[in-house]
Each structure stands twice: as C-alpha cells, then as structure tokens.
Amino acid sequence: MDGFDPIPDSLVLLIFNFVSDVKTLIRCRAVSKRFNSLVSQAESLLLKVDCLISPESSDADSSPLTFLSSFLKNLLHSLVSPKPHPTRTHRSLQNSPAQILRGFQAIRDLEIELPSGNLKLEKNTAVKWRAEFGKNLRSCVIFGFRELRSSPPSQIPADFGEVGFAGGLKLRVVWTISALVEASSRHYLLREVVKEQTQLERLVLRDKDGEGTVVMDKDGLREFREDTAELQVSDDLSVVIGGEGGQGQGQGQGQGVWERKMGGRTTVPSVRLRMRHVLKLEVEGGGAWMSGATLVIVKPTSSSTSDDRGPQQQAMEADVEGDEEKDAELALEAFGGGVYGEAVRALVKTRGYLLEMNSF
C-alpha cells in the first residue's frame, strides 16, 4: 500500500486539478492504474506551447500591409513523441492540441499558453489586447503606448518623442488592426479543440508575455461548436512530427510542429471602435511618463451581432453616451492592475472618438 491508497478519488482529482499542467499530468498516468484512470477525469488543465515558428514566405509577405495575415505559427512541445518522420501528412496530428487533449474526457476549464506574443512593433512600443469570442468576435480591448520612461514627478522628459495627429492616428489604427488579426488567428486555431471537448465551460488562449488573450465562455463555446459542427480537419493545417522520447513517458524533449499556412483566421465582422488617446500620460504616482497612451474598445456593429438582443436594445447600446460605462467595465476587466491598469483608469475618463471598420 502506498501513501495515496487511503486518499479518496475525489481528493486525488482535486490535486490533479490544482496541478493542471498537461505534461505533468500525462507523466502521472504512468504511476499506477488508478492514476491513469483518474488523470483522464481532470477538469482544469493548462497546456503550454514550446515556441512559435513562421512558415516560409515570399518577400511580398514581409510588407507592412501583408504581415498582418501571418500570425501565430506554433511549435508545440510534444507529449506524445514518435520517431522523426520527414513527411508532412494530415493524418499525423499527434502533436496538435486537440490530439493531446483527447486523453482527457472531462475538461471544463482549459488554458493554452503560447511562449510569447507575435505582434511586430517598434522598439519600446507595447500593445496589449483581450478579445472575447463566440462564433465571431464579441468584444476586444486594446491598450498600447509608444514609450514608458521614468522621470521625476511632474517633469516631462525633454526628449520625449511626439507624433503628429495624422501619423499618430495611422499608428493607432495599425495597432488595432494588428491586434484584431492576431486575435482572429488564435480563435481560428481553437476550432478542433472546441469541437471535440464538448464539456468545456471556459477556454483561454494567452501568451506568456501577456500580450494578448482570447477568452470564450460557456455560451460562446456552444455557439462556436455549433458553427463548426460540420467542419472536418482543415486543409490549411500541416503537421511535422519529430523528436525523441517514449510515448506517454514524459521523458525527453520531443518536438512537434503545429503549422498553419497563410490566411487561416476567423473573419472580423464590421466593428465600431471607440478610441481614446493621451499624448503624454503621467503614471506610477508621478514616477513615469507614458507616450502615446491609447485605449481602443472594439465591438461589432449592431448589424453584425449574433446574440438575442433586439434592435431597440442594440441601438441603445450603440449610443455614444450609453456605451461609456460598458467600455470602462470592459477595459478595467482586461487591464485592471499595475501600471497598465493605472493608465487605463485615466484613459476611460478622457473623451473618446468613434470610428467604424468594415468586415475583413
């Protein structure tokens, strides 16, 4: 008898849910027959992706206008690692998230973590975003700035860069489009996971750097699952299997490539943007200055919403004044803490302006 024998299954499952890391749990399956059966019933999981790769592309793909469609090329850490195989085949999906998660039958809360963000930004520039999806985009909060620099209280750095109105607006629009394309790309990659994991109630796809987060709640997952019910494995997915290590042993550092060809993303519907901008914003209690602080709240226009709200309610929510409180709630939910939260709280108090963007 070992030390776990007196512990009831319900408590062991609670421990497994607390551990959550998929790689660790797969290793636990090798401990005993009991662990092997209980691990598959874990409800809360975290799946970590090793690193990102980009497919081969032409010189045209590197232009400022086309780079927006080339996000999120993923290299997964292999938990099931057969011998290297040089052939690309749609039948070799052992390293895709969906395939790895097929050993778990009761997932309700799933987080997938990418190793880094994938936006192409200028030096010192930061852009953060949080997007909620169902079948399509429901909302997206984007926060960015050109530079953050320490400075004595109330003293603006002498060489703090400025951008003219036209140039600044163009830059903020590029930030917005970049974040929306990245969010829609991540959402697209979740189709197979959502389709197969029918008990999911919450799904989060984020990156380790905290650049962007895709969130889907229970209703959004159901809506997305119904929309993809007839889909088969996508023709724009190709997988290369390689590495060493035994299947299910949790040993070695096998690697698998989850590569999506150019253009794979969910269509962004027609949206309304409420943009707020402060040229120079004092943060950290006066200990630092933020250049070009920008907050953008993105919501589908009433014609592209897919929920059950009536036309009158949608029109009311589209009203400029009526949306202010909702915008603040969304922004603070996305970025409520630290220096970013401080900047967002200051920005939501400023006057915003509305832009509209067609579906793309």
PDB file of all heavy atoms in Angstrom, residues 162-178:
ATOM      1  N   GLU A 162       7.282  62.973 -29.972  1.00  0.00           N
ATOM      2  CA  GLU A 162       5.912  63.302 -30.322  1.00  0.00           C
ATOM      3  C   GLU A 162       5.645  62.890 -31.769  1.00  0.00           C
ATOM      4  O   GLU A 162       6.542  62.896 -32.612  1.00  0.00           O
ATOM      5  CB  GLU A 162       5.646  64.796 -30.150  1.00  0.00           C
ATOM      6  CG  GLU A 162       5.759  65.279 -28.700  1.00  0.00           C
ATOM      7  CD  GLU A 162       5.328  66.720 -28.561  1.00  0.00           C
ATOM      8  OE1 GLU A 162       4.762  67.257 -29.534  1.00  0.00           O
ATOM      9  OE2 GLU A 162       5.555  67.320 -27.506  1.00  0.00           O
ATOM     10  N   VAL A 163       4.404  62.544 -32.033  1.00  0.00           N
ATOM     11  CA  VAL A 163       3.979  62.190 -33.383  1.00  0.00           C
ATOM     12  C   VAL A 163       2.811  63.083 -33.741  1.00  0.00           C
ATOM     13  O   VAL A 163       1.912  63.292 -32.926  1.00  0.00           O
ATOM     14  CB  VAL A 163       3.557  60.708 -33.467  1.00  0.00           C
ATOM     15  CG1 VAL A 163       3.088  60.352 -34.878  1.00  0.00           C
ATOM     16  CG2 VAL A 163       4.725  59.806 -33.072  1.00  0.00           C
ATOM     17  N   GLY A 164       2.787  63.611 -34.958  1.00  0.00           N
ATOM     18  CA  GLY A 164       1.688  64.464 -35.391  1.00  0.00           C
ATOM     19  C   GLY A 164       0.368  63.722 -35.386  1.00  0.00           C
ATOM     20  O   GLY A 164       0.324  62.484 -35.333  1.00  0.00           O
ATOM     21  N   PHE A 165      -0.731  64.472 -35.478  1.00  0.00           N
ATOM     22  CA  PHE A 165      -2.058  63.861 -35.375  1.00  0.00           C
ATOM     23  C   PHE A 165      -2.265  62.782 -36.429  1.00  0.00           C
ATOM     24  O   PHE A 165      -2.683  61.667 -36.128  1.00  0.00           O
ATOM     25  CB  PHE A 165      -3.143  64.937 -35.520  1.00  0.00           C
ATOM     26  CG  PHE A 165      -4.537  64.368 -35.500  1.00  0.00           C
ATOM     27  CD1 PHE A 165      -5.135  64.008 -34.305  1.00  0.00           C
ATOM     28  CD2 PHE A 165      -5.233  64.172 -36.686  1.00  0.00           C
ATOM     29  CE1 PHE A 165      -6.414  63.477 -34.287  1.00  0.00           C
ATOM     30  CE2 PHE A 165      -6.513  63.632 -36.680  1.00  0.00           C
ATOM     31  CZ  PHE A 165      -7.103  63.286 -35.473  1.00  0.00           C
ATOM     32  N   ALA A 166      -1.943  63.103 -37.697  1.00  0.00           N
ATOM     33  CA  ALA A 166      -2.184  62.140 -38.777  1.00  0.00           C
ATOM     34  C   ALA A 166      -1.340  60.880 -38.587  1.00  0.00           C
ATOM     35  O   ALA A 166      -1.828  59.755 -38.703  1.00  0.00           O
ATOM     36  CB  ALA A 166      -1.895  62.783 -40.133  1.00  0.00           C
ATOM     37  N   GLY A 167      -0.044  61.083 -38.276  1.00  0.00           N
ATOM     38  CA  GLY A 167       0.829  59.939 -38.065  1.00  0.00           C
ATOM     39  C   GLY A 167       0.433  59.124 -36.854  1.00  0.00           C
ATOM     40  O   GLY A 167       0.481  57.890 -36.871  1.00  0.00           O
ATOM     41  N   GLY A 168       0.022  59.820 -35.785  1.00  0.00           N
ATOM     42  CA  GLY A 168      -0.399  59.120 -34.582  1.00  0.00           C
ATOM     43  C   GLY A 168      -1.665  58.318 -34.797  1.00  0.00           C
ATOM     44  O   GLY A 168      -1.787  57.179 -34.316  1.00  0.00           O
ATOM     45  N   LEU A 169      -2.625  58.873 -35.528  1.00  0.00           N
ATOM     46  CA  LEU A 169      -3.862  58.154 -35.808  1.00  0.00           C
ATOM     47  C   LEU A 169      -3.591  56.917 -36.662  1.00  0.00           C
ATOM     48  O   LEU A 169      -4.132  55.837 -36.405  1.00  0.00           O
ATOM     49  CB  LEU A 169      -4.848  59.079 -36.519  1.00  0.00           C
ATOM     50  CG  LEU A 169      -6.192  58.452 -36.913  1.00  0.00           C
ATOM     51  CD1 LEU A 169      -6.924  57.925 -35.693  1.00  0.00           C
ATOM     52  CD2 LEU A 169      -7.050  59.450 -37.671  1.00  0.00           C
ATOM     53  N   LYS A 170      -2.743  57.070 -37.653  1.00  0.00           N
ATOM     54  CA  LYS A 170      -2.392  55.933 -38.504  1.00  0.00           C
ATOM     55  C   LYS A 170      -1.751  54.826 -37.676  1.00  0.00           C
ATOM     56  O   LYS A 170      -2.072  53.637 -37.846  1.00  0.00           O
ATOM     57  CB  LYS A 170      -1.434  56.377 -39.607  1.00  0.00           C
ATOM     58  CG  LYS A 170      -1.001  55.263 -40.533  1.00  0.00           C
ATOM     59  CD  LYS A 170      -0.054  55.783 -41.606  1.00  0.00           C
ATOM     60  CE  LYS A 170       0.424  54.643 -42.514  1.00  0.00           C
ATOM     61  NZ  LYS A 170       1.354  55.144 -43.558  1.00  0.00           N
ATOM     62  N   LEU A 171      -0.842  55.193 -36.770  1.00  0.00           N
ATOM     63  CA  LEU A 171      -0.184  54.211 -35.922  1.00  0.00           C
ATOM     64  C   LEU A 171      -1.184  53.483 -35.044  1.00  0.00           C
ATOM     65  O   LEU A 171      -1.137  52.248 -34.894  1.00  0.00           O
ATOM     66  CB  LEU A 171       0.869  54.909 -35.057  1.00  0.00           C
ATOM     67  CG  LEU A 171       1.673  54.018 -34.099  1.00  0.00           C
ATOM     68  CD1 LEU A 171       2.496  53.007 -34.881  1.00  0.00           C
ATOM     69  CD2 LEU A 171       2.567  54.870 -33.209  1.00  0.00           C
ATOM     70  N   ARG A 172      -2.137  54.208 -34.476  1.00  0.00           N
ATOM     71  CA  ARG A 172      -3.126  53.583 -33.587  1.00  0.00           C
ATOM     72  C   ARG A 172      -4.051  52.642 -34.364  1.00  0.00           C
ATOM     73  O   ARG A 172      -4.465  51.598 -33.855  1.00  0.00           O
ATOM     74  CB  ARG A 172      -3.925  54.678 -32.876  1.00  0.00           C
ATOM     75  CG  ARG A 172      -3.081  55.492 -31.905  1.00  0.00           C
ATOM     76  CD  ARG A 172      -3.924  56.381 -31.029  1.00  0.00           C
ATOM     77  NE  ARG A 172      -4.475  57.529 -31.741  1.00  0.00           N
ATOM     78  CZ  ARG A 172      -3.821  58.667 -31.959  1.00  0.00           C
ATOM     79  NH1 ARG A 172      -2.566  58.791 -31.578  1.00  0.00           N
ATOM     80  NH2 ARG A 172      -4.405  59.670 -32.579  1.00  0.00           N
ATOM     81  N   VAL A 173      -4.377  53.007 -35.597  1.00  0.00           N
ATOM     82  CA  VAL A 173      -5.193  52.129 -36.437  1.00  0.00           C
ATOM     83  C   VAL A 173      -4.426  50.850 -36.765  1.00  0.00           C
ATOM     84  O   VAL A 173      -4.981  49.750 -36.753  1.00  0.00           O
ATOM     85  CB  VAL A 173      -5.635  52.855 -37.724  1.00  0.00           C
ATOM     86  CG1 VAL A 173      -6.281  51.869 -38.701  1.00  0.00           C
ATOM     87  CG2 VAL A 173      -6.620  53.977 -37.382  1.00  0.00           C
ATOM     88  N   VAL A 174      -3.120  50.976 -37.038  1.00  0.00           N
ATOM     89  CA  VAL A 174      -2.299  49.789 -37.307  1.00  0.00           C
ATOM     90  C   VAL A 174      -2.263  48.889 -36.083  1.00  0.00           C
ATOM     91  O   VAL A 174      -2.367  47.654 -36.186  1.00  0.00           O
ATOM     92  CB  VAL A 174      -0.880  50.206 -37.733  1.00  0.00           C
ATOM     93  CG1 VAL A 174       0.056  48.994 -37.745  1.00  0.00           C
ATOM     94  CG2 VAL A 174      -0.900  50.851 -39.104  1.00  0.00           C
ATOM     95  N   TRP A 175      -2.094  49.472 -34.888  1.00  0.00           N
ATOM     96  CA  TRP A 175      -2.135  48.676 -33.667  1.00  0.00           C
ATOM     97  C   TRP A 175      -3.451  47.903 -33.570  1.00  0.00           C
ATOM     98  O   TRP A 175      -3.475  46.715 -33.234  1.00  0.00           O
ATOM     99  CB  TRP A 175      -2.008  49.580 -32.440  1.00  0.00           C
ATOM    100  CG  TRP A 175      -0.662  50.183 -32.231  1.00  0.00           C
ATOM    101  CD1 TRP A 175       0.498  49.906 -32.915  1.00  0.00           C
ATOM    102  CD2 TRP A 175      -0.322  51.183 -31.261  1.00  0.00           C
ATOM    103  NE1 TRP A 175       1.523  50.670 -32.427  1.00  0.00           N
ATOM    104  CE2 TRP A 175       1.059  51.451 -31.414  1.00  0.00           C
ATOM    105  CE3 TRP A 175      -1.040  51.867 -30.281  1.00  0.00           C
ATOM    106  CZ2 TRP A 175       1.730  52.381 -30.617  1.00  0.00           C
ATOM    107  CZ3 TRP A 175      -0.377  52.788 -29.491  1.00  0.00           C
ATOM    108  CH2 TRP A 175       0.997  53.052 -29.655  1.00  0.00           C
ATOM    109  N   THR A 176      -4.539  48.595 -33.838  1.00  0.00           N
ATOM    110  CA  THR A 176      -5.861  47.984 -33.722  1.00  0.00           C
ATOM    111  C   THR A 176      -6.032  46.830 -34.697  1.00  0.00           C
ATOM    112  O   THR A 176      -6.475  45.730 -34.320  1.00  0.00           O
ATOM    113  CB  THR A 176      -6.954  49.040 -33.958  1.00  0.00           C
ATOM    114  OG1 THR A 176      -6.821  50.095 -32.983  1.00  0.00           O
ATOM    115  CG2 THR A 176      -8.333  48.429 -33.839  1.00  0.00           C
ATOM    116  N   ILE A 177      -5.689  47.059 -35.956  1.00  0.00           N
ATOM    117  CA  ILE A 177      -5.832  46.002 -36.960  1.00  0.00           C
ATOM    118  C   ILE A 177      -4.927  44.822 -36.625  1.00  0.00           C
ATOM    119  O   ILE A 177      -5.326  43.652 -36.736  1.00  0.00           O
ATOM    120  CB  ILE A 177      -5.516  46.551 -38.362  1.00  0.00           C
ATOM    121  CG1 ILE A 177      -6.558  47.598 -38.760  1.00  0.00           C
ATOM    122  CG2 ILE A 177      -5.476  45.427 -39.390  1.00  0.00           C
ATOM    123  CD1 ILE A 177      -6.263  48.282 -40.078  1.00  0.00           C
ATOM    124  N   SER A 178      -3.703  45.102 -36.191  1.00  0.00           N
ATOM    125  CA  SER A 178      -2.776  44.030 -35.836  1.00  0.00           C
ATOM    126  C   SER A 178      -3.338  43.159 -34.719  1.00  0.00           C
ATOM    127  O   SER A 178      -3.278  41.927 -34.785  1.00  0.00           O
ATOM    128  CB  SER A 178      -1.429  44.624 -35.404  1.00  0.00           C
ATOM    129  OG  SER A 178      -0.832  45.377 -36.430  1.00  0.00           O
TER     130      SER A 178
END
